[in-house]
Amino acid sequence: MTNKATDFTKVMQDMMASFPVDASALQNAFKTQAAMAEKLSKVALEAAEKSTEITSKWAKDTIAKLGDVSKAKSEVTDYSKSVTDFASSAAEMAAENLAAFAEVAKKVQMETVELVLAAGKDFSEDATAAVKKATADVTTVAKKAAAAAK
């Protein structure tokens, strides 16, 4: 027996070369993920834009109503009436705008669920194809190794 250690570098290189890695599967997964991120970003940006429009309109309407409240009145009772009218219209505006925000949130939720379900289907199909290809590659390698061993 010799004290020389066996060099397994060549054996490991041959073994790793026998298990091919399909880089296209990784590229496809990255492209699918990037496409989904783009779609989700679009949904979020549209929601932000719509929410900003609602907020801006609400603020403008409130300022306009405050303009009526701040006007000088000839009778003392007119002040209380204008404040009461403002409070009433502010409550109506709040209800309308909160309903508008709820619609935006509902739309975002529905679109997100649709995207996630579609992405899940795409990921499942990609994974199935990658597993089938890997299985075929490993089977081919195993057959070659078995044939070489005979």
Side-chain angles (χ1 to χ4, degrees), residues 58 61-62 65-66 69 79-97:
W58 192 354
D61 292 347
T62 301
K65 299 288 181 183
L66 278 172
V69 172
Y79 286 103
S80 64
K81 182 180 180 327
S82 70
V83 170
T84 303
D85 290 345
F86 173 77
S88 175
S89 66
E92 287 177 24
M93 286 188 298
E96 290 172 6
N97 289 307

Side-chain angles (χ1 to χ4, degrees), residues 59-144:
K60 286 178 182 178
D61 292 347
T62 301
I63 291 168
K65 299 288 181 183
L66 278 172
D68 294 339
V69 172
S70 65
K71 289 181 182 174
K73 315 285 190 256
S74 58
E75 296 291 323
V76 173
T77 56
D78 291 340
Y79 286 103
S80 64
K81 182 180 180 327
S82 70
V83 170
T84 303
D85 290 345
F86 173 77
S88 175
S89 66
E92 287 177 24
M93 286 188 298
E96 290 172 6
N97 289 307
L98 291 176
F101 282 125
E103 285 299 316
V104 170
K106 184 173 136 182
K107 183 180 181 211
V108 167
Q109 182 182 19
M110 288 181 352
E111 289 179 359
T112 301
V113 167
E114 289 173 5
L115 286 171
V116 168
L117 290 175
K121 182 182 173 196
D122 291 344
F123 286 139
S124 176
E125 289 171 357
D126 290 347
T128 301
V131 168
K132 284 181 181 178
K133 184 173 184 334
T135 302
D137 291 346
V138 169
T139 302
T140 302
V141 168
K143 286 180 182 176
K144 286 180 183 177

